[in-house]
Coordinates of all heavy atoms in Angstrom, one line a residue:
P8 N 17.5 -18.5 -3.7 CA 16.3 -18.1 -3.4 C 15.3 -18.4 -4.6 O 15.7 -18.0 -5.7 CB 16.3 -16.6 -3.1 CG 17.7 -16.2 -3.3 CD 18.5 -17.5 -3.5
T9 N 14.1 -18.8 -4.3 CA 13.2 -19.0 -5.4 C 12.2 -17.8 -5.6 O 12.1 -17.1 -4.6 CB 12.4 -20.3 -5.3 OG1 11.6 -20.1 -4.2 CG2 13.2 -21.5 -5.0
R10 N 11.6 -17.7 -6.8 CA 10.5 -16.6 -6.8 C 9.4 -16.8 -6.0 O 8.9 -15.8 -5.3 CB 10.0 -16.6 -8.3 CG 9.0 -15.6 -8.5 CD 8.8 -15.3 -10.1 NE 7.7 -14.4 -10.2 CZ 7.5 -13.1 -9.9 NH1 8.5 -12.5 -9.4 NH2 6.4 -12.6 -10.1
R11 N 9.1 -18.1 -5.7 CA 8.0 -18.3 -4.7 C 8.2 -17.8 -3.3 O 7.5 -17.3 -2.8 CB 7.8 -19.9 -4.7 CG 6.5 -20.2 -3.9 CD 6.4 -21.7 -4.0 NE 5.3 -22.0 -3.1 CZ 4.9 -23.3 -2.9 NH1 5.4 -24.3 -3.5 NH2 3.9 -23.5 -2.0
S12 N 9.5 -18.0 -2.8 CA 9.9 -17.5 -1.5 C 9.9 -16.0 -1.4 O 9.5 -15.5 -0.4 CB 11.2 -18.2 -1.0 OG 12.3 -17.6 -1.7
S13 N 10.3 -15.4 -2.5 CA 10.3 -14.0 -2.6 C 8.8 -13.4 -2.5 O 8.7 -12.2 -2.0 CB 11.1 -13.5 -3.8 OG 12.4 -13.9 -3.8
D14 N 8.0 -14.1 -3.1 CA 6.6 -13.5 -3.2 C 5.8 -13.6 -1.8 O 4.8 -13.0 -1.8 CB 5.8 -14.2 -4.2 CG 6.4 -13.8 -5.6 OD1 7.1 -12.9 -5.8 OD2 6.0 -14.6 -6.6
L15 N 6.4 -14.3 -0.8 CA 5.5 -14.4 0.3 C 5.3 -13.1 1.0 O 4.3 -13.0 1.8 CB 6.4 -15.5 1.3 CG 6.6 -16.8 1.1 CD1 7.4 -17.6 2.0 CD2 5.2 -17.5 0.8
A16 N 6.2 -12.2 0.9 CA 6.0 -10.8 1.6 C 4.9 -9.9 1.0 O 4.4 -9.0 1.7 CB 7.3 -10.0 1.5
I17 N 4.5 -10.4 -0.2 CA 3.5 -9.6 -0.8 C 2.1 -10.2 -1.0 O 1.2 -9.7 -1.6 CB 3.9 -8.9 -2.3 CG1 4.3 -10.1 -3.1 CG2 5.2 -8.0 -2.0 CD1 4.7 -9.7 -4.5
M18 N 2.0 -11.4 -0.4 CA 0.7 -12.1 -0.5 C -0.3 -11.4 0.3 O 0.0 -10.9 1.3 CB 0.9 -13.6 -0.1 CG 1.9 -14.4 -1.0 SD 2.0 -16.0 -0.5 CE 0.3 -16.7 -0.4
R19 N -1.5 -11.6 -0.1 CA -2.6 -11.1 0.7 C -2.7 -12.0 1.9 O -2.5 -13.2 1.9 CB -4.0 -11.2 -0.1 CG -4.0 -10.3 -1.3 CD -5.2 -10.5 -2.1 NE -6.3 -11.0 -1.4 CZ -7.5 -10.5 -1.7 NH1 -7.7 -9.6 -2.5 NH2 -8.6 -11.0 -1.0
S20 N -3.2 -11.3 3.0 CA -3.1 -12.0 4.2 C -4.5 -11.9 4.9 O -4.7 -11.9 6.2 CB -2.1 -11.5 5.3 OG -2.4 -10.1 5.4
A21 N -5.7 -12.0 4.2 CA -7.0 -12.0 4.8 C -7.1 -13.1 5.8 O -6.7 -14.3 5.5 CB -8.1 -12.1 3.7
G22 N -7.6 -12.9 6.9 CA -7.8 -13.9 8.0 C -6.7 -14.0 8.9 O -6.6 -14.9 9.8
S23 N -5.6 -13.1 8.6 CA -4.4 -13.3 9.5 C -4.5 -12.3 10.6 O -5.1 -11.1 10.4 CB -3.1 -13.1 8.7 OG -3.0 -14.0 7.7
L24 N -3.8 -12.4 11.7 CA -3.7 -11.5 12.8 C -2.2 -11.4 13.3 O -1.6 -12.5 13.5 CB -4.5 -11.9 14.0 CG -4.5 -11.1 15.2 CD1 -4.9 -9.6 14.8 CD2 -5.2 -11.7 16.3
L25 N -1.6 -10.3 13.2 CA -0.3 -10.0 13.7 C -0.3 -9.4 15.0 O -0.9 -8.3 15.3 CB 0.5 -9.1 12.6 CG 2.0 -8.8 12.9 CD1 2.8 -10.1 12.8 CD2 2.5 -7.8 11.9
I26 N 0.4 -10.0 15.9 CA 0.4 -9.5 17.4 C 1.8 -9.2 17.8 O 2.7 -10.1 17.5 CB -0.3 -10.5 18.3 CG1 -1.7 -10.8 17.9 CG2 -0.1 -10.0 19.8 CD1 -2.3 -12.0 18.7
V27 N 2.0 -8.1 18.2 CA 3.3 -7.7 18.9 C 3.2 -7.7 20.4 O 2.3 -7.2 21.1 CB 3.7 -6.4 18.5 CG1 5.1 -6.0 19.2 CG2 3.9 -6.2 17.0
T28 N 4.0 -8.6 21.1 CA 3.9 -8.8 22.4 C 5.3 -9.0 23.1 O 6.3 -9.4 22.4 CB 3.2 -10.1 22.7 OG1 3.1 -10.4 24.2 CG2 3.8 -11.3 22.1
D29 N 5.5 -8.6 24.4 CA 6.8 -8.9 25.1 C 7.0 -10.3 25.6 O 8.0 -10.7 26.0 CB 6.9 -8.0 26.4 CG 6.9 -6.5 26.0 OD1 7.5 -6.2 24.8 OD2 6.6 -5.7 26.7
D30 N 5.8 -11.2 25.5 CA 6.0 -12.5 26.0 C 5.3 -13.4 24.8 O 4.2 -14.0 25.1 CB 5.2 -12.6 27.3 CG 5.3 -13.9 28.0 OD1 6.0 -14.9 27.4 OD2 4.8 -14.0 29.2
P31 N 6.0 -13.7 23.8 CA 5.4 -14.5 22.8 C 5.1 -16.0 23.2 O 4.1 -16.5 22.8 CB 6.6 -14.6 21.7 CG 7.7 -14.2 22.4 CD 7.5 -13.3 23.5
D32 N 5.8 -16.5 24.2 CA 5.6 -17.9 24.5 C 4.3 -17.9 25.2 O 3.4 -18.7 24.9 CB 6.6 -18.4 25.4 CG 8.0 -18.6 24.7 OD1 8.0 -18.9 23.6 OD2 9.1 -18.5 25.4
R33 N 4.0 -17.0 26.0 CA 2.7 -17.0 26.8 C 1.5 -16.7 25.8 O 0.5 -17.3 26.0 CB 2.7 -15.9 27.9 CG 1.4 -15.8 28.6 CD 1.0 -16.9 29.6 NE -0.1 -16.6 30.3 CZ -1.1 -17.5 30.5 NH1 -0.9 -18.8 30.1 NH2 -2.2 -17.2 31.2
M34 N 1.7 -15.8 24.8 CA 0.6 -15.5 23.8 C 0.3 -16.7 23.0 O -0.8 -17.2 22.8 CB 1.2 -14.3 22.9 CG 0.1 -14.0 21.8 SD -1.5 -13.4 22.5 CE -1.1 -12.0 23.2
I35 N 1.4 -17.4 22.6 CA 1.1 -18.8 21.8 C 0.3 -19.7 22.7 O -0.6 -20.4 22.3 CB 2.3 -19.3 21.3 CG1 3.0 -18.5 20.3 CG2 2.1 -20.7 20.9 CD1 4.4 -18.8 19.8
E36 N 0.8 -19.9 24.0 CA 0.0 -20.7 24.9 C -1.5 -20.4 25.0 O -2.3 -21.2 24.9 CB 0.6 -20.7 26.3 CG 0.1 -21.7 27.3 CD 0.8 -21.3 28.7 OE1 2.0 -21.3 28.7 OE2 0.1 -21.3 29.6
L37 N -1.6 -19.1 25.2 CA -3.1 -18.6 25.2 C -4.0 -18.9 23.9 O -5.1 -19.3 24.1 CB -3.2 -17.1 25.7 CG -2.7 -16.8 27.0 CD1 -2.5 -15.2 27.2 CD2 -3.6 -17.4 28.1
M38 N -3.3 -18.6 22.8 CA -4.0 -18.9 21.5 C -4.3 -20.4 21.3 O -5.4 -20.7 20.9 CB -3.1 -18.3 20.3 CG -2.8 -16.9 20.4 SD -4.2 -15.8 20.2 CE -4.3 -15.7 18.4
E39 N -3.3 -21.2 21.7 CA -3.6 -22.6 21.5 C -4.6 -23.2 22.5 O -5.3 -24.0 22.1 CB -2.1 -23.5 21.8 CG -1.2 -23.0 20.5 CD 0.2 -23.8 20.8 OE1 0.5 -24.2 21.9 OE2 0.8 -23.8 19.8
T40 N -4.7 -22.5 23.6 CA -5.9 -23.0 24.5 C -7.4 -22.8 23.8 O -8.2 -23.4 24.2 CB -5.8 -22.4 25.9 OG1 -6.1 -21.1 25.7 CG2 -4.5 -22.7 26.6
E41 N -7.3 -21.9 22.9 CA -8.6 -21.5 22.2 C -8.5 -22.2 20.8 O -9.4 -21.8 20.0 CB -8.7 -20.1 22.0 CG -8.8 -19.3 23.3 CD -10.1 -19.6 24.1 OE1 -11.2 -20.0 23.5 OE2 -10.0 -19.7 25.4
N42 N -7.5 -23.1 20.6 CA -7.4 -23.8 19.2 C -7.1 -22.8 18.0 O -7.8 -23.0 17.0 CB -8.7 -24.7 19.0 CG -8.8 -25.8 19.9 OD1 -7.8 -26.6 20.3 ND2 -10.1 -26.1 20.4
I43 N -6.4 -21.8 18.4 CA -6.1 -20.8 17.4 C -4.5 -21.1 17.1 O -3.7 -20.9 18.0 CB -6.3 -19.4 17.8 CG1 -7.8 -19.1 18.2 CG2 -5.8 -18.5 16.7 CD1 -8.0 -17.9 18.9
P44 N -4.2 -21.5 15.8 CA -2.8 -21.7 15.5 C -2.0 -20.4 15.7 O -2.5 -19.4 15.3 CB -2.8 -22.1 14.1 CG -4.3 -22.5 13.8 CD -5.2 -21.8 14.7
A45 N -0.9 -20.5 16.1 CA 0.0 -19.3 16.4 C 1.5 -19.6 16.3 O 1.9 -20.8 16.6 CB -0.3 -18.7 17.8
A46 N 2.3 -18.7 15.9 CA 3.7 -18.9 15.8 C 4.4 -17.6 15.8 O 4.0 -16.6 15.5 CB 4.1 -19.6 14.5
V47 N 5.7 -17.6 16.3 CA 6.6 -16.5 16.2 C 7.1 -16.4 14.9 O 7.6 -17.3 14.4 CB 7.8 -16.6 17.3 CG1 8.7 -15.4 17.3 CG2 7.0 -16.7 18.7
I48 N 6.9 -15.3 14.1 CA 7.4 -15.1 12.9 C 8.5 -14.0 12.7 O 9.1 -13.7 11.7 CB 6.2 -14.9 12.0 CG1 5.6 -13.4 12.3 CG2 5.2 -15.9 11.9 CD1 4.6 -12.9 11.1
G49 N 8.8 -13.4 13.9 CA 9.8 -12.3 13.7 C 10.1 -11.6 15.1 O 9.6 -12.2 16.1
R50 N 10.8 -10.5 15.1 CA 11.2 -9.9 16.3 C 11.2 -8.4 16.0 O 11.7 -8.0 14.8 CB 12.3 -10.4 17.0 CG 13.6 -10.3 16.2 CD 14.7 -11.1 16.9 NE 15.9 -11.2 16.1 CZ 16.8 -10.3 16.0 NH1 16.9 -9.3 16.9 NH2 18.0 -10.5 15.3
M51 N 11.1 -7.6 16.9 CA 11.3 -6.1 16.8 C 12.7 -5.8 17.2 O 13.2 -6.4 18.2 CB 10.3 -5.4 17.7 CG 8.8 -5.7 17.4 SD 8.3 -5.0 15.8 CE 8.1 -3.3 16.2
T52 N 13.3 -5.0 16.6 CA 14.7 -4.5 17.1 C 14.7 -2.9 17.1 O 13.6 -2.3 16.7 CB 15.8 -4.8 16.0 OG1 15.5 -4.2 14.8 CG2 15.7 -6.4 15.7
G53 N 15.7 -2.3 17.4 CA 15.9 -0.9 17.6 C 16.1 -0.2 16.1 O 16.0 0.9 16.0
D54 N 16.3 -1.0 15.1 CA 16.6 -0.6 13.8 C 15.3 -0.3 13.1 O 14.3 -0.9 13.4 CB 17.3 -1.8 13.1 CG 18.0 -1.3 11.8 OD1 17.7 -0.3 11.3 OD2 19.0 -2.1 11.3
R55 N 15.3 0.6 12.4 CA 14.0 1.0 11.5 C 14.0 0.4 10.3 O 13.0 0.6 9.5 CB 14.1 2.6 11.4 CG 13.9 3.3 12.8 CD 13.8 4.9 12.5 NE 12.8 5.2 11.6 CZ 11.5 5.6 12.0 NH1 11.2 5.5 13.2 NH2 10.7 5.9 11.1
D56 N 15.0 -0.5 9.9 CA 14.8 -1.2 8.6 C 13.7 -2.2 8.7 O 13.5 -2.7 9.7 CB 16.2 -1.9 8.3 CG 17.3 -0.9 7.8 OD1 16.9 0.2 7.4 OD2 18.4 -1.3 7.9
K57 N 13.0 -2.4 7.6 CA 12.1 -3.4 7.5 C 12.7 -4.5 6.7 O 12.6 -4.7 5.4 CB 10.9 -3.0 6.7 CG 9.9 -1.9 7.6 CD 10.1 -0.6 7.2 CE 9.4 0.4 7.9 NZ 10.2 1.6 8.4
L58 N 13.3 -5.4 7.4 CA 14.1 -6.5 6.8 C 13.3 -7.9 7.0 O 12.9 -8.3 8.0 CB 15.3 -6.6 7.5 CG 16.4 -7.7 7.0 CD1 16.8 -7.4 5.5 CD2 17.6 -7.7 7.9
L59 N 13.2 -8.5 5.8 CA 12.6 -9.8 5.7 C 13.6 -10.9 5.6 O 14.5 -10.8 4.6 CB 11.5 -10.0 4.7 CG 10.9 -11.3 4.5 CD1 9.9 -11.6 5.7 CD2 10.1 -11.2 3.2
M60 N 13.8 -11.9 6.4 CA 14.8 -13.0 6.3 C 14.0 -14.3 5.9 O 13.1 -14.7 6.6 CB 15.5 -13.2 7.6 CG 16.4 -12.1 7.9 SD 17.8 -11.8 7.0 CE 18.7 -13.3 7.2
I61 N 14.3 -14.9 4.8 CA 13.7 -16.1 4.5 C 15.0 -17.0 4.1 O 15.7 -16.9 3.2 CB 12.9 -16.1 3.3 CG1 11.6 -15.2 3.4 CG2 12.3 -17.4 2.8 CD1 10.8 -14.9 2.3
R62 N 15.2 -17.9 5.1 CA 16.4 -18.8 5.1 C 17.7 -17.9 4.9 O 17.9 -17.1 5.9 CB 16.4 -19.8 4.0 CG 15.2 -20.9 4.2 CD 15.1 -21.8 3.0 NE 14.0 -22.6 3.1 CZ 12.7 -22.1 2.7 NH1 12.6 -21.0 2.2 NH2 11.7 -23.0 2.8
D63 N 18.5 -17.9 4.0 CA 19.6 -17.2 3.9 C 19.4 -15.8 3.1 O 20.3 -15.0 2.7 CB 20.7 -17.9 3.3 CG 21.2 -19.0 4.1 OD1 21.1 -18.9 5.3 OD2 21.6 -20.1 3.6
E64 N 18.3 -15.5 2.6 CA 17.8 -14.5 1.8 C 17.6 -13.2 2.7 O 16.6 -13.3 3.4 CB 16.7 -14.8 0.8 CG 16.2 -13.7 -0.2 CD 15.0 -13.9 -0.9 OE1 14.5 -15.1 -0.8 OE2 14.5 -13.2 -1.6
K65 N 18.1 -12.2 2.4 CA 17.8 -10.8 3.0 C 17.0 -10.0 2.0 O 17.4 -9.8 1.0 CB 18.9 -10.1 3.5 CG 19.6 -10.7 4.7 CD 20.8 -9.7 5.1 CE 21.4 -10.2 6.4 NZ 22.5 -9.2 6.7
R66 N 15.9 -9.4 2.4 CA 15.2 -8.6 1.5 C 14.6 -7.5 2.3 O 14.0 -7.5 3.4 CB 13.9 -9.3 1.0 CG 13.1 -8.6 0.1 CD 12.1 -9.6 -0.6 NE 11.1 -8.7 -1.2 CZ 10.0 -9.2 -1.9 NH1 9.8 -10.5 -1.8 NH2 9.2 -8.4 -2.5
Y67 N 14.8 -6.2 1.8 CA 14.3 -5.0 2.5 C 13.0 -4.7 2.0 O 12.7 -4.7 0.7 CB 15.3 -3.8 2.3 CG 16.6 -4.1 3.0 CD1 17.7 -4.6 2.5 CD2 16.7 -3.5 4.3 CE1 18.7 -4.8 3.3 CE2 17.7 -3.7 5.1 CZ 18.9 -4.3 4.5 OH 19.9 -4.4 5.3
L68 N 12.0 -4.5 2.7 CA 10.7 -4.3 2.3 C 10.3 -2.9 2.0 O 10.7 -2.0 2.7 CB 9.6 -4.8 3.3 CG 9.7 -6.3 3.8 CD1 8.7 -6.6 4.9 CD2 9.4 -7.2 2.5
D69 N 9.6 -2.7 0.8 CA 9.1 -1.5 0.4 C 7.7 -1.2 1.0 O 7.0 -2.1 1.5 CB 9.2 -1.2 -0.9 CG 10.6 -1.2 -1.7 OD1 11.4 -0.9 -0.9 OD2 10.7 -1.8 -2.7
R70 N 7.2 0.0 1.0 CA 5.8 0.3 1.4 C 4.9 -0.6 0.6 O 5.1 -0.6 -0.7 CB 5.5 1.8 1.3 CG 4.2 2.2 1.6 CD 4.0 3.6 1.4 NE 2.9 4.1 2.3 CZ 3.0 4.5 3.6 NH1 4.1 4.6 4.1 NH2 2.0 4.9 4.2
P71 N 4.0 -1.3 1.2 CA 3.1 -2.1 0.4 C 2.4 -1.4 -0.6 O 1.8 -0.3 -0.5 CB 2.1 -2.7 1.4 CG 2.8 -2.5 2.8 CD 3.7 -1.3 2.6
Q72 N 2.1 -2.1 -1.8 CA 1.3 -1.4 -2.9 C -0.1 -2.2 -3.0 O -0.1 -3.3 -2.5 CB 2.1 -1.7 -4.2 CG 3.4 -1.0 -4.3 CD 3.4 0.6 -4.2 OE1 2.5 1.1 -4.8 NE2 4.3 1.0 -3.3
A73 N -1.1 -1.5 -3.3 CA -2.3 -2.0 -3.6 C -2.3 -3.3 -4.5 O -1.7 -3.0 -5.5 CB -3.4 -1.0 -3.9
D74 N -3.0 -4.4 -4.2 CA -2.9 -5.4 -5.1 C -4.1 -5.1 -6.2 O -4.7 -4.2 -6.1 CB -3.2 -6.9 -4.6 CG -4.5 -6.9 -3.8 OD1 -5.4 -6.2 -4.1 OD2 -4.7 -7.8 -3.0
A75 N -4.0 -6.0 -7.3 CA -4.9 -5.7 -8.5 C -6.4 -5.7 -8.1 O -7.2 -5.0 -8.5 CB -4.7 -6.8 -9.5
L76 N -6.9 -6.6 -7.1 CA -8.2 -6.7 -6.8 C -8.6 -5.4 -6.0 O -9.7 -4.9 -6.3 CB -8.5 -8.0 -5.8 CG -9.9 -8.1 -5.5 CD1 -10.7 -8.3 -6.5 CD2 -9.8 -9.4 -4.5
W77 N -7.7 -4.8 -5.2 CA -8.1 -3.5 -4.5 C -8.2 -2.5 -5.5 O -9.1 -1.6 -5.4 CB -7.0 -3.2 -3.5 CG -7.4 -2.0 -2.7 CD1 -6.8 -0.8 -2.8 CD2 -8.3 -1.8 -1.7 NE1 -7.3 0.1 -2.1 CE2 -8.3 -0.5 -1.3 CE3 -9.1 -2.8 -1.0 CZ2 -9.1 -0.1 -0.2 CZ3 -9.9 -2.3 -0.1 CH2 -9.9 -1.0 0.3
K78 N -7.4 -2.5 -6.6 CA -7.5 -1.4 -7.6 C -8.9 -1.5 -8.3 O -9.5 -0.4 -8.6 CB -6.3 -1.5 -8.5 CG -5.0 -1.1 -8.0 CD -3.9 -1.4 -8.9 CE -2.6 -1.0 -8.3 NZ -1.4 -1.3 -9.1
V79 N -9.4 -2.7 -8.5 CA -10.8 -2.8 -9.2 C -11.7 -2.3 -8.2 O -12.7 -1.6 -8.7 CB -11.0 -4.4 -9.5 CG1 -12.5 -4.6 -9.8 CG2 -10.0 -4.9 -10.6
F80 N -11.7 -2.6 -7.0 CA -12.6 -2.0 -5.9 C -12.6 -0.6 -6.0 O -13.7 0.2 -6.1 CB -12.4 -2.5 -4.5 CG -12.7 -4.1 -4.4 CD1 -11.9 -4.7 -3.5 CD2 -13.8 -4.6 -4.9 CE1 -12.1 -6.1 -3.4 CE2 -14.0 -6.1 -4.7 CZ -13.3 -6.7 -3.8
E81 N -11.5 0.1 -6.0 CA -11.3 1.5 -6.0 C -11.9 2.1 -7.2 O -12.6 3.2 -7.2 CB -9.9 2.0 -5.8 CG -9.3 1.8 -4.5 CD -9.9 2.7 -3.4 OE1 -10.1 3.9 -3.8 OE2 -10.2 2.2 -2.5
T82 N -11.7 1.5 -8.4 CA -12.2 1.9 -9.7 C -13.8 1.9 -9.7 O -14.5 2.8 -10.0 CB -11.8 1.2 -10.9 OG1 -10.4 1.3 -10.8 CG2 -12.4 1.6 -12.2
F83 N -14.2 0.7 -9.2 CA -15.8 0.5 -9.1 C -16.5 1.5 -8.2 O -17.4 2.0 -8.6 CB -16.1 -0.9 -8.6 CG -17.4 -1.2 -8.4 CD1 -18.3 -1.5 -9.6 CD2 -18.0 -1.3 -7.2 CE1 -19.6 -1.8 -9.5 CE2 -19.4 -1.6 -7.1 CZ -20.2 -1.8 -8.2
K84 N -15.8 2.0 -7.1 CA -16.5 2.9 -6.3 C -16.3 4.4 -6.6 O -16.5 5.2 -5.8 CB -16.3 2.6 -4.7 CG -14.9 2.9 -4.3 CD -14.8 2.6 -2.7 CE -13.6 3.4 -2.2 NZ -13.5 3.2 -0.8
G85 N -15.5 4.5 -7.7 CA -15.2 6.0 -8.1 C -14.0 6.5 -7.4 O -13.8 7.8 -7.5
G86 N -13.0 5.7 -6.9 CA -11.9 6.1 -6.3 C -10.8 6.4 -7.5 O -11.1 6.7 -8.6
K87 N -9.6 6.2 -7.1 CA -8.3 6.4 -8.0 C -8.5 5.6 -9.3 O -8.5 4.6 -9.6 CB -7.1 5.9 -7.2 CG -6.8 6.9 -6.1 CD -5.6 6.5 -5.5 CE -5.4 7.2 -4.1 NZ -4.2 7.0 -3.4

């Protein structure tokens, strides 16, 4: 595993939409008819673990932390 692949889970995702559906093939078909790129990126299981698989690498996800830019916004508006 490379550092680059490990960092994918913490990258900002502005402009992204995550959809949970029982029929992913139909959802992708509908999105593509509107020229919206779509892909299946995971699946839900009965397990409560938040597990990310990148090729052969297993990584358990922690609660997301605010990125540096968000901390600047919070400081500017008088937050934390």
Side-chain angles (χ1 to χ4, degrees):
T9 65
R10 176 159 172 77
R11 184 176 179 183
S12 69
S13 296
D14 291 343
L15 293 175
I17 58 173
M18 291 179 62
R19 291 175 29 139
S20 57
S23 298
L24 175 63
L25 181 64
I26 298 173
V27 177
T28 179
D29 290 335
D30 191 353
D32 293 332
R33 178 71 176 135
M34 179 58 69
I35 289 173
E36 181 182 312
L37 291 170
M38 298 293 275
E39 288 177 348
T40 63
E41 298 296 325
N42 295 316
I43 300 170
V47 174
I48 62 167
R50 62 185 170 94
M51 304 290 284
T52 67
D54 197 343
R55 293 182 56 91
D56 287 338
K57 287 105 181 131
L58 180 63
L59 177 67
M60 297 288 299
I61 301 176
R62 295 178 191 79
D63 295 331
E64 177 187 358
K65 283 186 182 179
R66 180 175 171 186
Y67 289 90
L68 299 178
D69 295 325
R70 183 178 200 89
Q72 302 296 317
D74 64 23
L76 185 56
W77 184 255
K78 290 176 184 176
V79 169
F80 291 142
E81 286 294 316
T82 302
F83 179 73
K84 72 176 199 173
K87 296 180 183 178

